[in-house]
Amino acid sequence: MGSSADRPRRLNLQQRSKLAGEAAAAAAEVETALAQPADPNAAAFFDVDNTVMQGASIFHLARGLYRRDFFTTRDLLGAAWKQAYFRVVGVEDPEHVAEARNSALAFIAGHTVQELEEIGEEIFDEAMAHRIWPGTRALAQMHLDQGQRVWLVTAAPIEIASLIARRLGLTGALGTVAEHVDGVYTGRLVGDMLHGPAKAVAVRALAEREGLDLSACSAYSDSYNDLPMLGLVGDPCAINPDPKLRAHARAHGWRIRDYRTGRKAARAGLVVGSAATGAALAGTLVRRQIRRHGG
């Protein structure tokens, strides 16, 4: 049992999570074409990373921004390590999430909202479009064809989340809200990252605003961390699930869909392959930096 000193910290985290969810719901964009759906009481909510898209969208964004000199090699290598861990282990490490919270989106400080949105379009085309899982995309389209609204729910910045939703023809998105003043990012977040319990807060707030019946809604995710969101709806589904979510889904009779290939390969082989890829990436980036600075 935690000490009394731990309680203020837990309360603070809960408050930050609640604020993040409320901010995401307030900032959510809705495509006007779907403002009056045929099935107004139902909607589907999709996590993005490893559910809609292979890998972590924030990493693809960060790599694209690095190529445009937004930040340093060291920053990118940190992101690369987290991405390698995410893809090999298939579950988000709480320590990595905490580190990400402390430094999330700091690299966009001083840049404008318009700049990120314009560059985001380029990054989607070059790094994200071909990583969309066709099976998940088909599930989203199924809901749209039934006259339901479809929302992305992700820790990625709301600007990028909305861009992905728009490019996929979805209703809208809920994402992490980065603070900006007069259209310029400060590098701070409104509340916290839209992660774990914050996603459930955002979905519930959106449902109340849009008049949705959560018992008639569906939710999709790959991560056990998204149980708060999955548990809100009447039709939860595990997509490319991590081991804990797969076990939970089986125990509760939830649908499971796995669109990955080669997932039965030996873990040792995966680790070696990812380590080699990481080492190659590090070497390439270091050499690029040496050439750039004339070292």
Side-chain angles (χ1 to χ4, degrees), residues 179-196:
E179 181 185 76
H180 53 83
V181 177
D182 296 328
V184 178
Y185 291 109
T186 66
R188 296 186 292 270
L189 302 181
V190 178
D192 213 332
M193 294 179 67
L194 195 70
H195 182 270

Side-chain angles (χ1 to χ4, degrees), residues 134-196:
T136 308
R137 180 68 188 88
L139 286 172
Q141 188 60 50
M142 176 191 72
H143 286 283
L144 292 174
D145 292 343
Q146 292 172 354
Q148 299 176 4
R149 285 166 281 188
V150 177
W151 299 82
L152 299 181
V153 188
T154 175
I158 183 64
E159 293 82 5
I160 300 302
S162 297
L163 184 158
I164 296 172
R166 185 171 64 254
R167 296 293 290 271
L168 295 181
L170 309 181
T171 308
L174 300 163
T176 295
V177 179
E179 181 185 76
H180 53 83
V181 177
D182 296 328
V184 178
Y185 291 109
T186 66
R188 296 186 292 270
L189 302 181
V190 178
D192 213 332
M193 294 179 67
L194 195 70
H195 182 270

Side-chain angles (χ1 to χ4, degrees), residues 84-122:
Y85 186 97
F86 177 82
R87 293 187 64 179
V88 173
V89 180
V91 63
E92 301 153 20
D93 187 295
E95 291 186 7
H96 288 180
V97 172
E99 291 171 9
R101 185 191 70 223
N102 295 330
S103 60
L105 307 186
F107 53 78
I108 63 175
H111 295 278
T112 67
V113 174
Q114 181 179 358
E115 187 179 9
L116 182 64
E117 289 176 342
E118 290 175 352
I119 292 176
E121 295 279 357
E122 299 175 5

Side-chain angles (χ1 to χ4, degrees), residues 15-25 175 177 190-194 198 202:
Q15 291 172 335
R16 290 164 62 99
S17 180
K18 185 173 185 293
L19 179 57
E22 292 173 345
V177 179
V190 178
D192 213 332
M193 294 179 67
L194 195 70

Side-chain angles (χ1 to χ4, degrees), residues 261-279:
T261 58
R263 59 185 181 275
K264 295 183 180 180
R267 181 171 298 274
L270 288 173
V271 171
V272 170
S274 294
T277 300

Side-chain angles (χ1 to χ4, degrees), residues 24-30 151 204-212:
E29 295 184 4
V30 186
W151 299 82
R204 188 181 294 279
L206 181 70
E208 292 177 358
R209 190 184 83 187
E210 299 293 316
L212 299 173

